[in-house]
C-alpha cells in the first residue's frame, strides 16, 4: 500500500541537478529529481546505456545533512550498486552497498547523518541486459 509522500517538503533533491555516466535521449538524468507524487512517479525516468558500470549523481547545490535515500527502480534495475556521498564530487564515502537489487522495487536506505553536497548511485552490475533505470532518486534528512 502506497502512502502519500510530499516530495517538495521532504526531498532535498527535488529540482536539483542530476548528471549521469550515460543516458538515453528519451530518459535523461534530470527526470529523477522531478517533483512527482506516489500516483504519477512512473511518468518520467532516467535510463543509462547498456553496460557496466554506470552512475547517476545529484548535486544538492550546497552541503546539507542527509541520512536517507530512496531509489524507485524500473524493470531495468541494478543488481549490485553503492550509494555514495561527497562534499566535492571527487572523494566519495559509501553509505550503502548491495548485491540484491530487484525489478520494480524501492530501495529505502537510512544511514548515519552526514553532510553531503553530492549523492550518487554507482551501479556495478545490471539486473537485465538493458541499462539501469530509475523513476526517482530521493534524498532526505529525516528527523
Amino acid at each position: 500500500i502506497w502512502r502519500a509522500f510530499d516530495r517538495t517538503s521532504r526531498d532535498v533533491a527535488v529540482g536539483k541537478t542530476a548528471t549521469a555516466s550515460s543516458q538515453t535521449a528519451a530518459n535523461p538524468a534530470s527526470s529523477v529529481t522531478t517533483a512527482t507524487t506516489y500516483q504519477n512517479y512512473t511518468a518520467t525516468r532516467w535510463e543509462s546505456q547498456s553496460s557496466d558500470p554506470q552512475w547517476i549523481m545529484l548535486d544538492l547545490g550546497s552541503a546539507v545533512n542527509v541520512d536517507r535515500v530512496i531509489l524507485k527502480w524500473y524493470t531495468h534495475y541494478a543488481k549490485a550498486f553503492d550509494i555514495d556521498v561527497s562534499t566535492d564530487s571527487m572523494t566519495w564515502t559509501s553509505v550503502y552497498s548491495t548485491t540484491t537489487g530487484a525489478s520494480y522495487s524501492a530501495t529505502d536506505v537510512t544511514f548515519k547523518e552526514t553532510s553531503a553536497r553530492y549523492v550518487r548511485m554507482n551501479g556495478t552490475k545490471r539486473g537485465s541486459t538493458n541499462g539501469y533505470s530509475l523513476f526517482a532518486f530521493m534524498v532526505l534528512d529525516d528527523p
Side-chain angles (χ1 to χ4, degrees):
I1 297 173
W2 289 95
R3 64 181 171 103
F5 182 89
D6 181 6
R7 285 188 72 180
T8 58
S9 66
R10 293 187 53 210
D11 182 0
V12 297
V14 167
K16 299 298 195 280
T17 301
T19 56
S21 52
S22 68
Q23 62 186 14
T24 63
N27 300 300
S30 60
S31 297
V32 299
T33 60
T34 302
T36 56
T37 69
Y38 74 102
Q39 295 168 314
N40 71 350
Y41 75 92
T42 61
T44 61
R45 65 185 172 91
W46 161 71
E47 184 175 354
S48 76
Q49 297 299 315
S50 300
S51 63
D52 292 318
Q54 298 286 336
W55 53 263
I56 184 167
M57 176 182 72
L58 306 183
D59 180 350
L60 304 176
S62 61
V64 296
N65 288 334
V66 298
D67 65 4
R68 185 177 177 195
V69 167
I70 300 171
L71 304 174
K72 292 187 178 179
W73 295 99
Y74 182 51
T75 303
H76 318 315
Y77 65 99
K79 181 152 182 85
F81 65 96
D82 298 325
I83 297 173
D84 306 319
V85 296
S86 174
T87 56
D88 62 7
S89 77
M90 302 296 286
T91 304
W92 294 93
T93 301
S94 179
V95 295
Y96 178 76
S97 183
T98 189
T99 58
T100 60
S103 176
Y104 279 113
S105 66
T107 300
D108 188 342
V109 178
T110 57
F111 47 89
K112 182 180 175 187
E113 186 176 69
T114 187
S115 178
R117 176 176 173 171
Y118 303 92
V119 182
R120 171 179 75 178
M121 184 290 298
N122 188 33
T124 55
K125 182 172 174 65
R126 290 168 291 134
S128 72
T129 57
N130 297 311
Y132 298 87
S133 192
L134 286 171
F135 291 120
F137 190 154
M138 302 186 299
V139 180
L140 300 94
D141 181 23
D142 279 344

